Amino acid sequence: ELVRESEAERTSVLASAASSFEEALRLKADYAAAQYYLALTRQQQGDLDSAIARIETLLATYPGELGAGFELAILYIQVERFDDAILLLEQIVAIDSEHSNARWYLSALYEQNGLLGSAIKQLEVVADLNPDNEAVAQRLLELEAGVVGVVLPEPLDETGEEDIFEGSALEEVE
């Protein structure tokens, strides 16, 4: 009973949030933060196609939004659009060579495509950027030993990472 009530509350809160973001977009169609958070809300509601469309639209207007680009890459992975995810992650690391999570997922996708050398190169950079991260060190050792995984990894736990929206269009509060 408690689980059902909790799920009903979650559904209600997500619907309310979506409604608020949609209203914000009616008032200011180019409000990047509302567009982004509506996409995340749609993702939480399980409407991945809508979430993808929202972030693609956002990136068409604000192509330099790496946080939104990364989120879109994760959505592409969730709907098994792996080639699109690879292309986007490659663009992200070309712009921000220290984006560890982009490199982490790019490594996993390269690994999934049998590009072990490319996967290892990405993980080497991630290991240099995160020298105390045991998961990265372990995965790098496994790949170097030829142990290939079949499951995409969870995001890296990067402590002290800056707000991905700081100084971006998504930081606006107009």
Side-chain angles (χ1 to χ4, degrees), residues 59-77:
L59 289 174
T61 305
Y62 300 101
E65 290 298 334
L66 299 185
F70 179 74
E71 185 65 35
L72 181 58
I74 297 304
L75 287 167
Y76 283 157
I77 290 168

mmCIF file of all heavy atoms in Angstrom, residues 59-77:
data_model
loop_
_atom_site.group_PDB
_atom_site.id
_atom_site.type_symbol
_atom_site.label_atom_id
_atom_site.label_comp_id
_atom_site.label_asym_id
_atom_site.label_seq_id
_atom_site.Cartn_x
_atom_site.Cartn_y
_atom_site.Cartn_z
ATOM 1 N N LEU A 59 19.851 21.766 -27.766
ATOM 2 C CA LEU A 59 21.212 21.791 -28.302
ATOM 3 C C LEU A 59 21.284 22.456 -29.669
ATOM 4 O O LEU A 59 22.334 22.981 -30.047
ATOM 5 C CB LEU A 59 21.793 20.376 -28.351
ATOM 6 C CG LEU A 59 22.131 19.785 -26.981
ATOM 7 C CD1 LEU A 59 22.571 18.334 -27.118
ATOM 8 C CD2 LEU A 59 23.190 20.613 -26.269
ATOM 9 N N ALA A 60 20.193 22.453 -30.414
ATOM 10 C CA ALA A 60 20.169 23.160 -31.692
ATOM 11 C C ALA A 60 20.303 24.672 -31.449
ATOM 12 O O ALA A 60 20.923 25.381 -32.232
ATOM 13 C CB ALA A 60 18.883 22.851 -32.454
ATOM 14 N N THR A 61 19.748 25.132 -30.327
ATOM 15 C CA THR A 61 19.816 26.552 -29.974
ATOM 16 C C THR A 61 21.094 26.877 -29.208
ATOM 17 O O THR A 61 21.692 27.929 -29.409
ATOM 18 C CB THR A 61 18.590 26.949 -29.118
ATOM 19 O OG1 THR A 61 17.405 26.587 -29.824
ATOM 20 C CG2 THR A 61 18.573 28.438 -28.843
ATOM 21 N N TYR A 62 21.489 25.985 -28.328
ATOM 22 C CA TYR A 62 22.663 26.187 -27.481
ATOM 23 C C TYR A 62 23.625 25.003 -27.655
ATOM 24 O O TYR A 62 23.727 24.141 -26.782
ATOM 25 C CB TYR A 62 22.259 26.302 -26.006
ATOM 26 C CG TYR A 62 21.316 27.438 -25.717
ATOM 27 C CD1 TYR A 62 19.949 27.204 -25.561
ATOM 28 C CD2 TYR A 62 21.780 28.742 -25.609
ATOM 29 C CE1 TYR A 62 19.079 28.256 -25.296
ATOM 30 C CE2 TYR A 62 20.917 29.796 -25.353
ATOM 31 C CZ TYR A 62 19.555 29.543 -25.197
ATOM 32 O OH TYR A 62 18.695 30.569 -24.940
ATOM 33 N N PRO A 63 24.347 24.942 -28.777
ATOM 34 C CA PRO A 63 25.177 23.754 -29.065
ATOM 35 C C PRO A 63 26.339 23.541 -28.098
ATOM 36 O O PRO A 63 26.858 22.443 -28.009
ATOM 37 C CB PRO A 63 25.690 24.013 -30.485
ATOM 38 C CG PRO A 63 25.545 25.477 -30.691
ATOM 39 C CD PRO A 63 24.401 25.934 -29.837
ATOM 40 N N GLY A 64 26.722 24.543 -27.352
ATOM 41 C CA GLY A 64 27.852 24.394 -26.442
ATOM 42 C C GLY A 64 27.493 23.895 -25.063
ATOM 43 O O GLY A 64 28.356 23.831 -24.185
ATOM 44 N N GLU A 65 26.252 23.497 -24.836
ATOM 45 C CA GLU A 65 25.817 23.031 -23.523
ATOM 46 C C GLU A 65 26.268 21.585 -23.299
ATOM 47 O O GLU A 65 25.561 20.641 -23.643
ATOM 48 C CB GLU A 65 24.296 23.143 -23.379
ATOM 49 C CG GLU A 65 23.796 24.553 -23.295
ATOM 50 C CD GLU A 65 24.322 25.297 -22.074
ATOM 51 O OE1 GLU A 65 24.654 24.657 -21.055
ATOM 52 O OE2 GLU A 65 24.405 26.525 -22.157
ATOM 53 N N LEU A 66 27.439 21.423 -22.742
ATOM 54 C CA LEU A 66 28.004 20.082 -22.575
ATOM 55 C C LEU A 66 27.202 19.221 -21.617
ATOM 56 O O LEU A 66 27.084 18.007 -21.818
ATOM 57 C CB LEU A 66 29.462 20.171 -22.122
ATOM 58 C CG LEU A 66 30.419 20.876 -23.079
ATOM 59 C CD1 LEU A 66 31.841 20.777 -22.558
ATOM 60 C CD2 LEU A 66 30.312 20.330 -24.479
ATOM 61 N N GLY A 67 26.645 19.808 -20.573
ATOM 62 C CA GLY A 67 25.836 19.034 -19.629
ATOM 63 C C GLY A 67 24.615 18.448 -20.308
ATOM 64 O O GLY A 67 24.280 17.273 -20.127
ATOM 65 N N ALA A 68 23.958 19.269 -21.111
ATOM 66 C CA ALA A 68 22.789 18.790 -21.855
ATOM 67 C C ALA A 68 23.216 17.772 -22.909
ATOM 68 O O ALA A 68 22.525 16.775 -23.139
ATOM 69 C CB ALA A 68 22.057 19.962 -22.502
ATOM 70 N N GLY A 69 24.351 18.011 -23.534
ATOM 71 C CA GLY A 69 24.859 17.056 -24.523
ATOM 72 C C GLY A 69 25.164 15.711 -23.898
ATOM 73 O O GLY A 69 24.851 14.658 -24.461
ATOM 74 N N PHE A 70 25.752 15.739 -22.717
ATOM 75 C CA PHE A 70 26.046 14.484 -22.021
ATOM 76 C C PHE A 70 24.750 13.758 -21.665
ATOM 77 O O PHE A 70 24.640 12.545 -21.848
ATOM 78 C CB PHE A 70 26.889 14.738 -20.764
ATOM 79 C CG PHE A 70 27.194 13.489 -20.015
ATOM 80 C CD1 PHE A 70 28.133 12.588 -20.494
ATOM 81 C CD2 PHE A 70 26.538 13.184 -18.836
ATOM 82 C CE1 PHE A 70 28.406 11.405 -19.815
ATOM 83 C CE2 PHE A 70 26.798 12.009 -18.148
ATOM 84 C CZ PHE A 70 27.742 11.118 -18.636
ATOM 85 N N GLU A 71 23.781 14.497 -21.162
ATOM 86 C CA GLU A 71 22.485 13.883 -20.830
ATOM 87 C C GLU A 71 21.853 13.265 -22.069
ATOM 88 O O GLU A 71 21.282 12.171 -22.008
ATOM 89 C CB GLU A 71 21.552 14.921 -20.207
ATOM 90 C CG GLU A 71 20.244 14.337 -19.733
ATOM 91 C CD GLU A 71 20.399 13.340 -18.597
ATOM 92 O OE1 GLU A 71 21.275 13.513 -17.742
ATOM 93 O OE2 GLU A 71 19.626 12.367 -18.560
ATOM 94 N N LEU A 72 21.972 13.939 -23.203
ATOM 95 C CA LEU A 72 21.426 13.398 -24.446
ATOM 96 C C LEU A 72 22.154 12.109 -24.833
ATOM 97 O O LEU A 72 21.519 11.142 -25.263
ATOM 98 C CB LEU A 72 21.523 14.427 -25.577
ATOM 99 C CG LEU A 72 20.971 13.997 -26.930
ATOM 100 C CD1 LEU A 72 19.499 13.602 -26.848
ATOM 101 C CD2 LEU A 72 21.179 15.119 -27.958
ATOM 102 N N ALA A 73 23.452 12.080 -24.652
ATOM 103 C CA ALA A 73 24.211 10.859 -24.954
ATOM 104 C C ALA A 73 23.719 9.697 -24.088
ATOM 105 O O ALA A 73 23.561 8.572 -24.581
ATOM 106 C CB ALA A 73 25.705 11.094 -24.735
ATOM 107 N N ILE A 74 23.449 9.964 -22.821
ATOM 108 C CA ILE A 74 22.935 8.917 -21.927
ATOM 109 C C ILE A 74 21.557 8.459 -22.396
ATOM 110 O O ILE A 74 21.256 7.254 -22.406
ATOM 111 C CB ILE A 74 22.893 9.420 -20.470
ATOM 112 C CG1 ILE A 74 24.302 9.748 -19.967
ATOM 113 C CG2 ILE A 74 22.205 8.407 -19.554
ATOM 114 C CD1 ILE A 74 25.307 8.608 -20.076
ATOM 115 N N LEU A 75 20.718 9.392 -22.815
ATOM 116 C CA LEU A 75 19.402 9.017 -23.348
ATOM 117 C C LEU A 75 19.559 8.171 -24.609
ATOM 118 O O LEU A 75 18.833 7.181 -24.790
ATOM 119 C CB LEU A 75 18.564 10.265 -23.641
ATOM 120 C CG LEU A 75 18.028 10.995 -22.420
ATOM 121 C CD1 LEU A 75 17.501 12.378 -22.810
ATOM 122 C CD2 LEU A 75 16.930 10.184 -21.746
ATOM 123 N N TYR A 76 20.482 8.550 -25.475
ATOM 124 C CA TYR A 76 20.737 7.748 -26.678
ATOM 125 C C TYR A 76 21.133 6.317 -26.299
ATOM 126 O O TYR A 76 20.691 5.358 -26.924
ATOM 127 C CB TYR A 76 21.846 8.371 -27.529
ATOM 128 C CG TYR A 76 21.457 9.572 -28.347
ATOM 129 C CD1 TYR A 76 22.436 10.479 -28.753
ATOM 130 C CD2 TYR A 76 20.143 9.826 -28.748
ATOM 131 C CE1 TYR A 76 22.115 11.586 -29.528
ATOM 132 C CE2 TYR A 76 19.825 10.935 -29.518
ATOM 133 C CZ TYR A 76 20.821 11.813 -29.911
ATOM 134 O OH TYR A 76 20.503 12.906 -30.678
ATOM 135 N N ILE A 77 21.961 6.192 -25.274
ATOM 136 C CA ILE A 77 22.358 4.861 -24.812
ATOM 137 C C ILE A 77 21.137 4.094 -24.319
ATOM 138 O O ILE A 77 20.961 2.916 -24.631
ATOM 139 C CB ILE A 77 23.446 4.962 -23.723
ATOM 140 C CG1 ILE A 77 24.768 5.450 -24.335
ATOM 141 C CG2 ILE A 77 23.643 3.616 -23.025
ATOM 142 C CD1 ILE A 77 25.821 5.856 -23.315
#
